[in-house]
Amino acid sequence: MSDESQELGITESKSHKPGEWYAEVVQKAGLADYAPMGGFIVTKPRGYALWESIQDALDGWFKETGVQNTYFPMFIPESYLEREKDIVEGFDPEVAWVTQGGHDELEERLAVRPTSESIIAPFMAEWVRSHRDLPLRLNQWCSVVRWEATETKPFFRTKEFLWQEGHTAHATDAGAWEEVWTRLSQYERVYEDVLAIPVLRGKKPEHDKFPGADTTTTVEALMPDGKSVQGGTSHHLGQSFADAFDITFVDEDEEEQTAYTTSWGLSWRALGALIMTHSDDQGLVLPPTIAPTQVAIVPIWQADTKEKVLDYSETIAEELEDAGLRVELDDRDERNPGFKFNEHELNGVPLRIEIGPNEVDDEEVTLVHRPDTENVVADREGLVETVEENLDAIYDKLYETAEETLEENVREAHSPEEILGTIGKHGGYVKTPWCGDQACEEAIKEKIAAEIVMQPLAEEGGASAGEPVRPDDDATCGVCGDDAEEIAYFAKSY
Amino acid sequence: MSDESQELGITESKSHKPGEWYAEVVQKAGLADYAPMGGFIVTKPRGYALWESIQDALDGWFKETGVQNTYFPMFIPESYLEREKDIVEGFDPEVAWVTQGGHDELEERLAVRPTSESIIAPFMAEWVRSHRDLPLRLNQWCSVVRWEATETKPFFRTKEFLWQEGHTAHATDAGAWEEVWTRLSQYERVYEDVLAIPVLRGKKPEHDKFPGADTTTTVEALMPDGKSVQGGTSHHLGQSFADAFDITFVDEDEEEQTAYTTSWGLSWRALGALIMTHSDDQGLVLPPTIAPTQVAIVPIWQADTKEKVLDYSETIAEELEDAGLRVELDDRDERNPGFKFNEHELNGVPLRIEIGPNEVDDEEVTLVHRPDTENVVADREGLVETVEENLDAIYDKLYETAEETLEENVREAHSPEEILGTIGKHGGYVKTPWCGDQACEEAIKEKIAAEIVMQPLAEEGGASAGEPVRPDDDATCGVCGDDAEEIAYFAKSY
């Protein structure tokens, strides 16, 4: 093999060294590179295309459900950040500060936005006057900066990251709850229908909420290494921001009322979960829903068969493209078929079509799935339908595999030893009744670096909506043994 | 009129106080608000929707012509900015600096990107190895910050602005020139086919080029107040960035060569030009191509006719929507038709359909164009086609009006007195032969604040491509009277 062929290979193993394997897949599949400043990455075309697919899906759903896009300044004056006390306490240690503009010191430091509640809320206060202005639903696609001193892990841990942040105001608490669930469901849908990743949904424990929030809801995805990823969060902010920034409105009875607000965000961490969940030791694996190239056609010729193989391949490529499929006809002269196979495998192309002189003569093609590599011969006739069926099958397979992993990895435990032992041995989630005391979480966290990542939450309307789901009446906390009022899912997490 | 009705009215006049009028239209039509920090604005949903339309058009054309989207960090280490001397000299006085991360001082200051050549070029150098990697065409949609101490004018002059920046590398000078023209043509197309604004295309004078560029090409749009707007620029960077950042490649003969690079950008200034060009004393005027709402249907009823008027209006709204038109059925109870007319006029809805009981009985509708306000009665039958024809006519009218203004406002002059007198009296462009000496431009600029905004440039292939178009052999500079080798367009500018 040439040097370049060796470069294509992933040398680390997903099961033995998941961290190194992940970093190698990200770089070799052309998704991202490390920037010169620690904590920052460069998103390469193939990585950005994946983010664009997520954007397209979510942005469409947002707009169908009344959300309007906006753009607020990337800087927030320090005095604005200070107006909501939880936000400033929560984010102050992680803020990047602009202190100089041109050759001058600024009179007031400007925070590079770590999140935009503090600059959006004052404008909501101006724009909302009457109940007719509500609900107000704003969103922006942008990057934010959080100066965390941790090791860089592309898409999982970076100081700057891409996300969308939605910010809404409502006349009633119930309206805000409905918003919270709508967005959480859209995040769930992105994971399940676009990324082929099943998720659990619930709330974060009180001490791990978004700063200033009444309740933080989350979708959690289980990674193959047994850790949980917080896949997207939707916050009921209650009236804390409305109080701090005077978001009030005149109701139908001409009375002044305080609004309820929400915020919700999904970041490129979704790409990290995507890569981690499906990929393997041959490189990236992508569900056909999001793959920039769904089908790679690799013609295999000798000098005397080149013309007929290429002609046949071209008509197939055209036919598939006309059907709306994303197709690459890889007719490069300077690469042999083996190199091309490896490259498309590395890059996560879900379906490869191999075409040699025999396929032309027999009016057939050979189909190869990614990640499976079994060859299937298919008729040239009806190929569009065959390809679409194969792509669906690939999606289903990926989803089902991830779903089985998730289902197998939610285990119950009823004592500290059982919790520690189960997570230590299997990873995954351990479900246990919980007294609600943070000390019980700390006791586990100290020993095994697992924490409460999720609590099931009642989602129906009525009085209990937004309340934690209660365990059986006689349940006792899996850690301390006291009466348990709540259910907790412990897991290690990203 | 109620207070709210008065709020809708534009109080300033476009012809008498264009600056105040512009600011009022931007705010009252809900496009943008002023942020708490001077020089920053908040882009409201209606303004952002216009930017999304420009993005959709340009992004599609970019992708059709081989451009890949990426995302590079928003910060650039100072040492990277210093590697290309013209960039650092050009932008250093305007850079916003991040000096603190969390509670710590940074070891090296980070520039908030004023433009991204200095962070993109080093990665191009890594990614380009062989001639097969060229051309490399990258783009990102993002915001940049330039700390200019001027009065804020939404979309025209802001410290942070939204734009796209394209960055490409090529094996040959000719390849880079082709790229420069491709992008300039796409910018021209956005103005002419989306924004209904004709433009002039050419180059900036040598002393007004982008820092580090060999040639800066530009599309210039004439505003109704006689000033020119630089609508988008496409730079041939020659080999200056390739030299500074080692962008080299191995050619077909295995020789190492230095690449040629380009960069090109279009900002939300295009929105400023759009608003300024077409709008009037009633508010915003939008071409149907970009209007978020193309057709507003205003039903006019009394209690006894409400049901039949609304039913009829709803079937029309559905029919138009099904045909792909962007329609708003304004059935608000709490507003009277007069208020609605004013509001849709203010917001720049191109076509209003008025429907009262008479229209229902006669199976007709009444159409009202924006900016014209003459009523036209049209048959209910064939309404989709009628509406589409009317929207086309509205576009054509806007474009033709702008084109006439442009054509009438390019005048020739052959002495300093003539140049000053013509610009002083009419504004617009003054075309004159020029010796090429910056002193001659300065002489005009000192007296009347007009400068050389554009020079016609040979665009065909061959030796003269990229060279200024030459005037007649015996031409003399319109300012100093020396031999003239070039042609210059003087104008006041934004």
Side-chain angles (χ1 to χ4, degrees):
Chain A
M1 278 209 286
S2 74
D3 283 345
E4 273 177 317
S5 265
Q6 281 166 356
E7 264 183 37
L8 288 183
I10 301 294
T11 59
E12 301 286 358
S13 141
K14 184 177 187 179
S15 51
H16 294 118
K17 295 200 166 178
E20 289 82 347
W21 164 87
Y22 177 82
E24 207 183 344
V25 170
V26 165
Q27 285 202 284
K28 290 198 171 166
L31 304 178
D33 254 353
Y34 295 92
M37 313 83 79
F40 291 81
I41 62 168
V42 169
T43 313
K44 296 177 73 170
R46 207 171 288 117
Y48 198 80
L50 297 177
W51 181 239
E52 284 182 314
S53 293
I54 291 177
Q55 282 189 304
D56 285 348
L58 262 187
D59 199 65
W61 300 335
F62 289 164
K63 284 174 178 159
E64 283 166 15
T65 47
V67 178
Q68 300 178 299
N69 281 338
T70 55
Y71 187 73
F72 284 77
M74 69 154 86
F75 300 144
I76 305 177
E78 187 165 19
S79 56
Y80 276 67
L81 208 59
E82 286 170 347
R83 281 176 67 179
E84 207 290 325
K85 73 174 171 35
D86 291 321
I87 275 278
V88 68
E89 279 172 23
F91 286 104
D92 195 51
E94 304 182 352
V95 168
W97 294 103
V98 173
T99 60
Q100 296 165 10
H103 299 306
D104 300 323
E105 291 290 315
L106 301 184
E107 285 177 25
E108 180 178 10
R109 296 195 300 178
L110 299 174
V112 181
R113 63 179 160 228
T115 180
S116 299
E117 281 77 4
S118 305
I119 187 80
I120 293 181
F123 286 91
M124 283 189 160
E126 275 188 47
W127 301 340
V128 171
R129 294 180 182 185
S130 145
H131 63 95
R132 292 200 193 92
D133 300 321
L134 295 173
L136 176 65
R137 299 187 180 96
L138 305 175
N139 178 63
Q140 64 181 7
W141 293 93
C142 61
S143 74
V144 289
V145 172
R146 297 178 187 174
W147 211 264
E148 295 174 278
T150 51
E151 204 191 339
T152 311
K153 191 177 185 86
F155 307 124
F156 279 114
R157 280 195 305 273
T158 50
K159 288 197 175 83
E160 180 186 11
F161 58 86
L162 293 176
W163 77 345
Q164 61 67 219
E165 50 178 323
H167 300 267
T168 70
H170 306 265
T172 63
D173 184 50
W177 269 118
E178 194 182 328
E179 184 74 19
V180 166
W181 299 131
T182 298
R183 303 312 156 197
L184 197 70
S185 296
Q186 289 174 340
Y187 294 160
E188 184 176 28
R189 189 173 161 198
V190 164
Y191 278 89
E192 303 206 333
D193 295 354
V194 179
L195 306 179
I197 302 175
V199 292
L200 298 177
R201 48 191 277 171
K203 68 181 277 274
K204 290 285 169 188
E206 288 303 295
H207 55 272
D208 195 26
K209 293 182 306 189
F210 178 80
D214 274 9
T215 306
T216 286
T217 69
T218 179
V219 290
E220 297 282 324
L222 181 66
M223 296 297 100
D225 61 358
K227 292 186 188 170
S228 183
V229 167
Q230 179 180 303
T233 48
S234 180
H235 315 291
H236 192 312
L237 302 176
Q239 297 186 311
S240 58
F241 285 88
D243 281 333
F245 291 94
D246 291 322
I247 308 176
T248 58
F249 63 97
V250 175
D251 69 12
E252 294 185 10
D253 303 323
E254 301 287 319
E255 303 278 336
E256 187 168 287
Q257 303 285 353
T258 300
Y260 296 80
T261 68
T262 81
S263 69
W264 24 277
L266 180 137
S267 79
W268 69 14
R269 175 177 286 197
L271 296 184
L274 171 74
I275 300 159
M276 190 80 85
T277 299
H278 304 301
S279 303
D280 61 22
D281 291 353
Q282 277 65 56
L284 192 63
V285 173
L286 293 175
T289 36
I290 200 171
T293 302
Q294 295 171 310
V295 182
I297 301 175
V298 180
I300 304 166
W301 68 74
Q302 304 293 334
D304 60 337
T305 55
K306 179 170 180 180
E307 194 181 332
K308 81 171 179 183
V309 169
L310 276 184
D311 285 352
Y312 185 79
S313 301
E314 277 163 16
T315 63
I316 287 175
E318 264 175 42
E319 194 176 316
L320 296 177
E321 271 168 14
D322 288 347
L325 295 163
R326 300 187 290 274
V327 181
E328 182 189 332
L329 171 57
D330 189 352
D331 56 2
R332 287 176 293 175
D333 259 324
E334 72 271 14
R335 298 295 185 200
N336 63 43
F339 180 94
K340 294 177 183 179
F341 296 168
N342 288 339
E343 195 176 71
H344 296 304
E345 271 175 34
L346 173 67
N347 290 339
V349 179
L351 189 67
R352 181 166 83 229
I353 300 183
E354 301 176 5
I355 297 171
N358 292 341
E359 274 87 356
V360 180
D361 294 341
D362 300 342
E363 297 195 13
E364 291 175 342
V365 299
T366 298
L367 303 178
V368 186
H369 287 199
R370 174 99 177 90
D372 306 332
T373 49
E374 207 181 326
N375 293 1
V376 179
V377 173
D379 286 342
R380 168 73 183 83
E381 210 187 311
L383 190 58
V384 167
E385 205 182 322
T386 308
V387 165
E388 285 170 347
E389 284 166 5
N390 275 271
L391 292 174
D392 286 347
I394 291 169
Y395 189 93
D396 292 344
K397 184 88 184 297
L398 291 176
Y399 187 86
E400 282 158 20
T401 304
E403 198 177 31
E404 272 169 35
T405 306
L406 176 59
E407 282 169 3
E408 285 166 7
N409 283 284
V410 179
R411 298 178 181 86
E412 297 198 12
H414 295 89
S415 70
E417 296 72 28
E418 244 190 308
I419 295 171
L420 294 169
T422 305
I423 294 179
K425 183 171 175 195
H426 303 288
Y429 300 100
V430 167
K431 179 181 172 185
T432 187
W434 178 43
C435 65
D437 190 343
Q438 193 179 347
C440 287
E441 186 195 30
E442 284 301 321
I444 299 296
K445 205 170 172 178
E446 272 168 24
K447 293 217 173 85
I448 201 169
E451 59 191 3
I452 299 173
V453 294
M454 198 272 287
Q455 298 187 262
L457 196 58
E459 297 191 15
E460 302 305 312
S464 69
E467 295 295 316
V469 172
R470 298 173 66 97
D472 296 339
D473 279 349
D474 58 349
T476 55
C477 176
V479 185
C480 69
D482 284 354
D483 281 354
E485 306 280 305
E486 305 180 21
I487 296 172
Y489 279 61
F490 280 87
K492 295 185 180 182
S493 74
Y494 273 90
Chain B
M1 279 207 286
S2 74
D3 282 344
E4 273 176 319
S5 266
Q6 282 168 357
E7 265 184 35
L8 287 182
I10 301 293
T11 59
E12 300 288 356
S13 141
K14 183 177 188 180
S15 51
H16 293 118
K17 295 201 167 179
E20 288 83 346
W21 164 86
Y22 176 82
E24 207 183 344
V25 170
V26 165
Q27 286 203 282
K28 290 197 171 168
L31 304 178
D33 253 354
Y34 296 90
M37 315 82 80
F40 290 80
I41 62 169
V42 168
T43 312
K44 296 176 75 172
R46 208 172 286 116
Y48 198 81
L50 298 177
W51 181 239
E52 284 183 313
S53 293
I54 290 177
Q55 283 189 303
D56 285 348
L58 261 186
D59 199 64
W61 301 335
F62 289 163
K63 284 175 176 157
E64 283 166 15
T65 48
V67 178
Q68 300 179 298
N69 282 338
T70 55
Y71 187 74
F72 285 77
M74 69 154 84
F75 301 144
I76 305 176
E78 187 165 18
S79 56
Y80 276 66
L81 207 61
E82 284 169 348
R83 281 177 66 179
E84 208 290 328
K85 69 172 174 38
D86 291 322
I87 276 277
V88 68
E89 279 171 24
F91 287 104
D92 195 49
E94 302 181 355
V95 168
W97 294 102
V98 173
T99 62
Q100 297 165 11
H103 299 306
D104 301 323
E105 291 290 315
L106 301 185
E107 285 177 23
E108 180 178 10
R109 294 196 299 179
L110 299 174
V112 181
R113 65 181 160 229
T115 181
S116 299
E117 281 78 2
S118 305
I119 188 79
I120 293 181
F123 286 91
M124 283 189 160
E126 276 188 47
W127 300 341
V128 171
R129 294 179 183 187
S130 146
H131 62 96
R132 291 200 193 94
D133 300 322
L134 296 172
L136 177 64
R137 298 187 180 98
L138 306 175
N139 178 62
Q140 65 181 3
W141 294 93
C142 61
S143 74
V144 289
V145 172
R146 297 180 186 173
W147 211 265
E148 294 175 279
T150 52
E151 204 192 339
T152 311
K153 193 177 181 87
F155 307 122
F156 279 114
R157 280 195 306 273
T158 50
K159 288 196 174 85
E160 178 186 13
F161 58 86
L162 293 176
W163 78 344
Q164 60 68 219
E165 49 178 323
H167 300 268
T168 70
H170 307 265
T172 63
D173 184 50
W177 269 117
E178 197 184 316
E179 183 74 19
V180 166
W181 300 132
T182 298
R183 302 313 155 196
L184 198 69
S185 296
Q186 290 174 337
Y187 293 160
E188 185 176 27
R189 189 173 161 199
V190 164
Y191 278 89
E192 303 206 333
D193 295 354
V194 179
L195 306 180
I197 302 176
V199 292
L200 299 177
R201 47 192 274 169
K203 68 182 278 275
K204 290 285 166 187
E206 288 303 296
H207 56 271
D208 195 25
K209 292 183 306 192
F210 178 80
D214 275 9
T215 306
T216 286
T217 69
T218 179
V219 291
E220 297 282 326
L222 181 66
M223 297 296 100
D225 61 0
K227 292 186 188 171
S228 184
V229 167
Q230 179 180 302
T233 48
S234 180
H235 314 291
H236 193 312
L237 302 176
Q239 297 185 311
S240 58
F241 285 88
D243 281 333
F245 292 93
D246 292 323
I247 308 176
T248 58
F249 63 98
V250 175
D251 70 12
E252 294 185 11
D253 303 323
E254 300 287 320
E255 303 278 336
E256 187 168 288
Q257 303 286 353
T258 300
Y260 295 81
T261 68
T262 81
S263 67
W264 26 277
L266 181 136
S267 80
W268 69 13
R269 177 178 284 197
L271 296 183
L274 171 75
I275 300 159
M276 190 80 87
T277 299
H278 304 300
S279 303
D280 62 21
D281 291 353
Q282 277 65 54
L284 192 63
V285 173
L286 293 174
T289 38
I290 200 172
T293 300
Q294 295 171 310
V295 181
I297 301 176
V298 182
I300 304 166
W301 67 74
Q302 304 294 334
D304 60 337
T305 55
K306 181 171 179 180
E307 192 180 333
K308 79 170 181 183
V309 169
L310 276 184
D311 285 351
Y312 185 79
S313 300
E314 277 164 16
T315 63
I316 288 176
E318 266 176 42
E319 193 176 316
L320 297 176
E321 271 169 15
D322 288 347
L325 294 163
R326 299 188 290 274
V327 180
E328 181 189 332
L329 171 58
D330 188 351
D331 56 3
R332 287 176 293 176
D333 258 326
E334 71 271 15
R335 298 297 187 197
N336 63 44
F339 181 94
K340 295 177 182 179
F341 296 169
N342 288 338
E343 194 177 72
H344 297 303
E345 272 176 32
L346 173 67
N347 290 339
V349 178
L351 189 67
R352 181 168 82 230
I353 300 184
E354 301 176 4
I355 296 171
N358 293 340
E359 274 87 357
V360 180
D361 293 340
D362 300 343
E363 296 194 14
E364 290 174 342
V365 299
T366 298
L367 303 177
V368 186
H369 287 199
R370 175 99 175 92
D372 307 331
T373 48
E374 208 180 325
N375 293 4
V376 180
V377 173
D379 287 342
R380 170 71 182 84
E381 209 186 311
L383 189 59
V384 166
E385 204 181 323
T386 307
V387 165
E388 285 171 347
E389 284 167 4
N390 275 273
L391 292 175
D392 287 346
I394 291 169
Y395 189 93
D396 292 344
K397 183 87 186 295
L398 291 176
Y399 187 86
E400 282 158 20
T401 304
E403 196 177 33
E404 273 170 32
T405 307
L406 176 59
E407 282 169 2
E408 284 166 7
N409 282 286
V410 179
R411 299 179 180 87
E412 296 199 11
H414 295 90
S415 70
E417 296 72 27
E418 245 189 309
I419 296 171
L420 293 170
T422 305
I423 294 178
K425 185 173 175 193
H426 303 289
Y429 300 101
V430 167
K431 178 182 174 184
T432 188
W434 178 43
C435 65
D437 190 343
Q438 193 179 348
C440 286
E441 187 196 29
E442 284 299 323
I444 299 297
K445 206 170 172 178
E446 274 168 23
K447 294 217 172 85
I448 203 171
E451 59 191 5
I452 300 172
V453 293
M454 197 275 285
Q455 297 188 263
L457 195 57
E459 297 191 15
E460 302 305 313
S464 68
E467 294 295 316
V469 171
R470 296 173 66 95
D472 297 340
D473 279 349
D474 58 350
T476 55
C477 175
V479 185
C480 69
D482 284 353
D483 282 353
E485 306 280 303
E486 304 179 23
I487 296 171
Y489 280 62
F490 280 88
K492 296 185 179 181
S493 74
Y494 272 91

